[in-house]
Amino acid sequence: MIFRRILAHVKTQNWLAVGIDFVIVVVGVFVATQVSNWNDANRDRARGEGYLASIHGELLTDAAAIERRAVFWGQVAGYGEDALSYAERGTLKNGSAWETVLAFFQASQIWPYTATDTTYRELTGAGELSLIRDSTMRAALADYYVVRKSRLDPMFAELPAYRETIRGLTPMHVQSHIWANCHRAVVDGTEEAQALLPCESPISEAEAREILRTYMAAPEVLRGLRFWMSTIRVYSDLSAHDRQTAMRLAERIETESN
């Protein structure tokens, strides 16, 4: 309709009316563009907030997972210290050969960890990281998900040589008893949780001492145990830092969203 009016005014050479109509068209296009941009910005803002809400939940999941592993790794390290006490000084745990055999075996336990990065991978995979408008937040998330992942995931995924060695030297019926009575795996939410338990001996003290002699006859046992205990310490320190980072990021997202 507006264009028909402009043509009519041109035919009658009503240039003032033509100018007014032209201004109306320009203003109308400008307003429509601004409204469209405003709607797009609102949609992008809402999507960005949705992504951050999902990341917030995943960061809390990470923090809880790390906390559970810290307890588990503490148990593994404790058993490792008992095993080292025997290997280096000949001291039996609580004066028991069986408890010392159990310490060697439980010191080989692992529970890998990797950050929950589903939402972040979805964002980066779709090329939509810019939906998180705060550039410092984007940098902090990249440090947590990308830098941390490249630094720690290979370490957490690696199986210690000590694990293979000690399990190769432990009689199978003893291992079966340990798995049935000295280890517990339960489902905690969506993730399996592990716990190491004290348990009765399935063998005599004489048999346990013979297993210990077998351990000590293999030089790779002590070397592997020392290296694995050192690695567990690194796991614990780095994971504690990761937990603090995850909690700080979650708190920041919550604060900014409010």
Side-chain angles (χ1 to χ4, degrees):
M1 181 180 295
I2 188 68
F3 289 108
R4 285 200 298 270
R5 284 174 51 192
I6 292 173
L7 289 174
H9 292 147
V10 169
K11 288 179 181 178
T12 60
Q13 297 186 353
N14 188 347
W15 304 118
L16 176 61
V18 169
I20 292 172
D21 288 341
F22 180 77
V23 169
I24 291 173
V25 170
V26 171
V27 170
V29 170
F30 175 79
V31 170
T33 301
Q34 291 300 105
V35 169
S36 176
N37 291 341
W38 182 78
N39 288 334
D40 289 344
N42 277 347
R43 282 193 295 268
D44 288 346
R45 184 179 299 108
R47 291 176 63 207
E49 290 172 354
Y51 277 122
L52 280 176
S54 295
I55 289 173
H56 176 267
E58 291 176 355
L59 289 169
L60 294 180
T61 297
D62 284 352
I66 293 171
E67 190 169 9
R68 286 193 295 270
R69 280 166 176 79
V71 173
F72 180 81
W73 291 334
Q75 285 187 293
V76 173
Y79 279 115
E81 290 173 4
D82 292 332
L84 281 173
S85 181
Y86 177 80
E88 295 177 341
R89 297 182 294 278
T91 304
L92 292 170
K93 180 180 180 181
N94 297 327
S96 166
W98 159 247
E99 289 191 35
T100 307
V101 168
L102 181 62
F104 274 95
F105 188 87
Q106 299 291 47
S108 73
Q109 300 284 12
I110 62 170
W111 190 4
Y113 163 74
T114 185
T116 307
D117 61 351
T118 305
T119 302
Y120 188 79
R121 284 190 290 107
E122 181 180 343
L123 262 174
T124 54
E128 294 187 324
L129 195 58
S130 60
L131 290 176
I132 298 176
R133 293 172 296 163
D134 187 338
S135 61
T136 61
M137 175 67 79
R138 293 199 300 269
L141 291 174
D143 181 70
Y144 180 77
Y145 286 111
V146 180
V147 177
R148 182 221 154 274
K149 192 174 183 67
S150 64
R151 182 182 73 240
L152 296 183
D153 280 7
M155 178 186 294
F156 289 140
E158 184 178 353
L159 294 178
Y162 172 76
R163 177 185 175 92
E164 180 178 349
T165 299
I166 208 69
R167 296 184 181 198
L169 295 172
T170 304
M172 200 63 227
H173 69 282
V174 173
Q175 294 193 48
S176 298
H177 176 83
I178 291 173
W179 287 120
N181 300 280
C182 317
H183 176 273
R184 182 178 65 209
V186 295
V187 175
D188 182 7
T190 59
E191 185 180 62
E192 182 182 7
Q194 298 189 59
L196 305 178
L197 311 170
C199 57
E200 297 296 325
S201 175
I203 56 179
S204 68
E205 280 292 286
E207 291 174 293
R209 287 181 181 276
E210 185 57 37
I211 294 173
L212 291 175
R213 279 193 290 272
T214 301
Y215 291 164
M216 292 301 92
E220 64 270 23
V221 167
L222 180 55
R223 289 197 301 267
L225 179 58
R226 286 170 174 161
F227 183 81
W228 177 230
M229 288 302 100
S230 178
T231 303
I232 284 285
R233 175 63 183 271
V234 174
Y235 276 12
S236 300
D237 291 346
L238 293 178
S239 294
H241 175 267
D242 278 358
R243 184 179 184 280
Q244 292 173 356
T245 302
M247 291 300 297
R248 284 197 299 266
L249 278 171
E251 290 169 4
R252 179 178 173 183
I253 290 173
E254 186 172 356
T255 299
E256 293 184 5
S257 66
N258 290 335

